Amino acid sequence: VRRYQQMAFRAALLVCGDPDEAGDAAQEGFIRAWRALRSFRPGLEPRPWLLRIVVNAARNRQRHQRRQGALSLRLAEVVPAAAEPSPESAALAAERRQRLLAAVGALRSEDRLVIGLRWFLDLDEASMASALAVPRGTVKSRLSRAMARLRTELGHDV
């Protein structure tokens, strides 16, 4: 649980858009995964299997709750250890991040999910395909279309 807790929360947040709902969905996903542990095939990577369960739990919660809200992704600050950025560059980076998050938040939930799995959770195509329970080619096309819609949403800021 400790190893995958943050990733499960972020995946659920991509679907739910609400941190409280995402926390509940991640917890529910872990419970479901524990109950389904017998169905896990030893030797495989557990991350895609767990993410599929968490994403399904989040979708179910969203479907049942019918909550709408803005996506509030929280990205960890990544600052190089060698040098601190200048105040100006830190402000510009924060502004760009806010524009990006607002643009991602304006997308459909399917687009947010595929973009989030790839770029925020850093999954490769094979892991995404496993987590979404779709063929790898479907992941490629969904990601391509979602990125095109994100570019449109961002306009000239790309």
Side-chain angles (χ1 to χ4, degrees):
V1 171
R2 286 185 194 123
R3 183 175 183 186
Y4 296 108
Q5 186 173 7
Q6 280 290 20
M7 187 181 339
F9 173 77
R10 289 180 188 160
L13 184 60
L14 290 167
V15 175
C16 296
D18 177 76
D20 293 330
E21 284 295 312
D24 291 345
Q27 183 178 13
E28 185 177 328
F30 277 114
I31 292 169
R32 288 182 183 182
W34 182 76
R35 288 180 181 155
L37 201 53
R38 284 179 271 140
S39 71
F40 179 71
R41 290 185 296 206
L44 292 179
E45 171 68 34
R47 183 171 65 169
W49 176 78
L50 177 64
L51 285 177
R52 181 174 342 139
I53 293 170
V54 169
V55 165
N56 285 338
R59 284 180 176 159
N60 288 342
R61 290 187 69 82
Q62 185 182 35
R63 199 174 300 126
H64 292 297
Q65 297 294 326
R66 299 285 183 225
R67 288 193 175 176
Q68 297 293 326
L71 177 66
S72 59
L73 294 174
R74 296 203 175 127
L75 299 176
E77 290 285 329
V78 178
V79 179
E84 288 290 319
S86 69
E88 296 85 12
S89 63
L92 288 173
E95 182 180 319
R96 248 185 119 188
R97 184 172 44 256
Q98 289 303 323
R99 281 196 314 259
L100 175 62
L101 292 177
V104 170
L107 296 174
R108 301 179 334 199
S109 68
E110 296 84 19
D111 293 340
R112 288 192 315 253
L113 179 61
V114 74
I115 287 173
L117 289 175
R118 175 64 186 104
W119 300 110
F120 297 135
L121 297 179
D122 200 29
L123 294 183
D124 59 21
E125 288 175 355
S127 296
M128 290 173 61
S130 180
L132 296 172
V134 297
R136 196 169 174 176
T138 303
V139 167
K140 285 183 177 187
S141 63
R142 284 183 185 178
L143 184 58
S144 176
R145 285 192 297 266
M147 291 300 291
R149 285 189 272 271
L150 180 59
R151 283 186 203 94
T152 300
E153 189 69 35
L154 285 170
H156 297 288
D157 292 340
V158 179

